[in-house]
Amino acid sequence: MKTICLYFEIHQIIHLKRYRFFDIGTDHYYYDDYENERSISDIAERSYMPALNTLEQMIREGNGYFKVAFSLSGVGMEQLEMHAPQVLEKLQDLNATGCVEFLAEPYSHGLSSLANEQAFAADVKKQAAKIKEYFGKKPTVLRNSSLIYSDDIGLQASALGFKGMLTEGAKHVLGWKSPHYVYNCALAPSLKLLLRDVELSDDISLRFNNSDWDGYPLFADNYVDRIARLPEEEQVINIFMELSALGIAQPLSSNILEFLRAIPVCAKQKGINFSTPSEIIGKMKSVGNLDVPDTLSWVDEERDVSCWLGNAMQREAFNKLYSVADRVRIANDPRINQDWDYLQASNNFRFMTTKPSNVGLDRGIYSSPFDAFTNYMNVLGDFMSRVNSLYPEEIDNEELNSLLTTIKNQGDEITMKEKEIVRLQAKVEKLQLAEEKLKKQLDKAGDKAAKPAAKKAPAKKAAAKKEETEKK
């Protein structure tokens, strides 16, 4: 039986403010708070809430038939917490239905998987912990930023304990193969791979409202018919996109949500069901290795990482940022860590691209790729000086790690001694209480012994007085 795996990504760009060279060393706050609040509030109103309300209706009407998956970047969740908490509350309502799965992804929505294995692991673990905090379950399936994947990244994901991973069903990788099967990582056979159906996904997320498109207008029954006509053995249809496609890329006036609501109705008539990624990974066997020696993604026609690292400016900014990755991880300073998450976000490098793209790119405050590069490098210059000021620059990473390990061990020893002191103080207090109790008991026993003696004393006096009287 064919099954549709429907997945949506939720991420929010953190906008940097205009930061000039002369701000370096004097201003350590890098963000445009007004634009960040405006943009997240706008997208929540025009896209997230209408889309999530529709998905909730579909789940409740389906009585367990319709299922969906999400992943949220950690920095996106932070913006939602501050400016649109109703979105997170709605996601928790969806989670309570039991028909939703939340996936892991890098907290920063960054490119750490291309630069630093330990930074990538920390990034993913941090987001997985936040997902568990909100939705009560640790993710078992990983979705890297923009579906970035290679054999080496798959090996890292497997080492982190993930059972499966989502990536792009790119033609240059698949060749004659179909994306409608479960595959496995070439370097880690236990890691199963679900591949995005590029055409079916982009028909909704990119082309739905394009009147010049040959497939316009797109109706749910025709869309599901295409899925039903696929060869019988091709059973897994992965439709992955950003949630903002529903309402932003494709405006609500296009009836995109009505189209979405009709899909489960049409699919049920054709005997097609819905599954979450972990359900597919748990039930279906891999048909073989997928060899991906070069990195791929779901962005642009090339489906590679050239939109982030395709020119010299991007590579310089990228290399400069990750040159301090180990020091940031070792130092583990809360404020530095937050800025590290925001500066890693892939959009910072995307704004610097010089590539032409079929998908429109809004550079925000930047007038050109060079403008984006200059502003980012000014911010990065201040950030790096703060990182290096935490500990002397002449101390290399190995020495710093050793130093901080010693400090940590000493801190652990102090903590243990403090606990021992508390334990001994409690023991002393207990002994003092026992001593006071015993003393009271002894005093009470002494009082009882004194009372009979007091009674005998008058009797002796009376006897002596009587004896004296008789003598007389």
Side-chain angles (χ1 to χ4, degrees):
M1 178 183 288
K2 287 183 170 57
T3 188
I4 295 173
C5 180
L6 185 62
Y7 154 81
F8 295 101
E9 176 213 22
I10 299 177
H11 167 63
Q12 181 61 28
I13 290 174
I14 305 297
H15 296 274
L16 299 179
K17 68 182 181 182
R18 181 63 67 181
Y19 193 90
R20 305 189 184 282
F21 176 79
F22 298 104
D23 295 323
I24 298 174
T26 60
D27 183 1
H28 303 318
Y29 191 78
Y30 312 132
Y31 313 107
D32 187 337
D33 290 336
Y34 173 80
E35 182 57 26
N36 285 325
E37 181 176 2
R38 187 207 63 78
S39 60
I40 190 66
S41 300
D42 179 64
I43 199 170
E45 181 181 352
R46 293 169 53 203
S47 172
Y48 291 168
M49 288 307 296
L52 292 175
N53 284 329
T54 298
L55 290 168
E56 184 179 28
Q57 286 181 311
M58 292 163 68
I59 289 172
R60 299 197 185 282
E61 290 169 359
N63 294 317
Y65 166 73
F66 177 73
K67 298 176 182 179
V68 65
F70 297 94
S71 74
L72 297 86
S73 69
V75 297
M77 292 179 76
E78 289 184 14
Q79 290 298 295
L80 291 171
E81 287 171 339
M82 286 189 287
H83 306 304
Q86 69 273 18
V87 175
L88 292 172
E89 291 170 5
K90 180 58 67 176
L91 286 167
Q92 288 175 322
D93 291 342
L94 266 67
N95 182 55
T97 66
C99 295
V100 175
E101 179 179 5
F102 290 91
L103 311 184
E105 72 164 70
Y107 192 96
S108 66
H109 198 268
L111 309 174
S112 55
S113 61
L114 305 176
N116 188 295
E117 186 172 338
Q118 290 176 312
F120 177 61
D123 215 4
V124 170
K125 289 177 182 177
K126 185 176 180 180
Q127 187 267 358
K130 197 170 184 72
I131 289 292
K132 185 177 181 180
E133 176 189 343
Y134 265 91
F135 307 110
K137 188 175 180 181
K138 183 179 179 181
T140 59
V141 178
L142 174 65
R143 180 262 186 198
N144 199 7
S145 309
S146 301
L147 296 188
I148 292 174
Y149 177 80
S150 69
D151 293 336
D152 290 332
I153 293 172
L155 183 61
Q156 292 179 53
S158 178
L160 290 171
F162 291 102
K163 305 298 182 184
M165 193 167 177
L166 310 188
T167 189
E168 181 77 340
K171 290 181 180 179
H172 71 276
V173 171
L174 285 169
W176 57 269
K177 297 177 182 177
S178 167
H180 304 140
Y181 295 93
V182 176
Y183 295 90
N184 63 265
C185 174
L187 299 182
S190 63
L191 183 79
K192 293 181 179 178
L193 304 175
L194 300 183
L195 308 185
R196 174 177 179 262
D197 185 305
V198 177
E199 184 176 350
L200 288 171
S201 300
D202 288 353
D203 281 354
I204 298 176
S205 63
L206 298 182
R207 294 183 281 268
F208 182 82
N209 195 43
N210 182 3
S211 58
D212 295 328
W213 172 43
D214 292 340
Y216 181 87
L218 181 62
F219 295 105
D221 54 352
N222 294 334
Y223 185 81
V224 173
D225 281 344
R226 286 163 55 193
I227 296 174
R229 289 196 301 268
L230 291 169
E232 185 178 351
E233 61 274 15
E234 298 188 13
Q235 295 187 0
V236 183
I237 295 84
N238 299 308
I239 301 173
F240 305 160
M241 68 191 79
E242 296 177 357
L243 186 61
S244 60
L246 310 178
I248 302 298
Q250 309 305 321
L252 298 181
S253 59
S254 68
N255 294 322
I256 183 69
L257 295 183
E258 287 73 13
F259 167 82
L260 187 69
R261 284 193 65 178
I263 288 178
V265 178
C266 297
K268 199 168 189 178
Q269 294 173 351
K270 297 289 184 178
I272 301 170
N273 64 20
F274 286 80
S275 300
T276 61
S278 61
E279 288 178 337
I280 295 172
I281 287 166
K283 293 177 182 177
M284 296 190 177
K285 294 182 179 179
S286 167
V287 297
N289 294 345
L290 185 72
D291 295 307
V292 189
D294 299 318
T295 311
L296 63 86
S297 77
W298 71 356
V299 179
D300 293 345
E301 291 183 6
E302 296 85 354
R303 303 291 195 251
D304 58 13
V305 297
S306 58
C307 66
W308 303 290
L309 302 175
N311 63 45
M313 292 185 297
Q314 292 170 310
R315 291 189 292 273
E316 181 179 349
F318 178 81
N319 293 333
K320 198 83 170 175
L321 174 67
Y322 284 101
S323 69
V324 295
D326 290 332
R327 293 182 73 84
V328 170
R329 177 180 53 81
I330 293 167
N332 196 26
D333 178 82
R335 181 60 191 277
I336 290 291
N337 287 344
Q338 184 180 53
D339 290 336
W340 172 247
D341 290 334
Y342 293 169
L343 294 179
Q344 281 190 92
S346 61
N347 55 275
N348 291 308
F349 304 97
R350 177 78 161 149
F351 291 150
M352 303 175 200
T353 187
T354 52
K355 281 181 61 180
S357 175
N358 293 330
V359 181
L361 175 62
D362 181 5
R363 298 184 198 271
I365 64 172
Y366 306 124
S367 59
S368 68
F370 182 75
D371 186 27
F373 170 74
T374 303
N375 200 70
Y376 183 79
M377 292 303 284
N378 286 341
V379 170
L380 188 56
D382 183 78
F383 175 75
M384 291 180 66
S385 68
R386 289 168 55 211
V387 172
N388 291 327
S389 69
L390 289 174
Y391 302 97
E393 287 187 58
E394 56 269 19
I395 300 178
D396 61 27
N397 290 337
E398 186 175 345
E399 289 178 310
L400 179 57
N401 195 16
S402 176
L403 173 64
L404 292 180
T405 300
T406 301
I407 293 171
K408 182 180 182 300
N409 291 340
Q410 289 175 343
D412 292 342
E413 186 176 350
I414 290 170
T415 301
M416 288 178 64
K417 289 185 182 297
E418 287 175 345
K419 288 181 179 178
E420 180 66 15
I421 289 169
V422 170
R423 188 185 69 82
L424 290 173
Q425 285 177 337
K427 190 173 181 180
V428 168
E429 289 174 2
K430 188 176 180 180
L431 289 172
Q432 287 174 340
L433 288 172
E435 182 182 0
E436 288 176 6
K437 186 176 180 181
L438 180 60
K439 187 176 179 181
K440 287 178 180 179
Q441 289 175 345
L442 291 173
D443 291 343
K444 192 174 181 181
D447 290 343
K448 286 182 179 180
K451 284 179 181 179
K455 287 180 180 179
K456 288 179 181 179
K460 286 182 179 179
K461 288 181 180 178
K465 189 174 182 181
K466 183 179 180 182
E467 185 178 351
E468 185 179 349
T469 304
E470 289 176 351
K471 286 180 180 180
K472 290 179 178 179

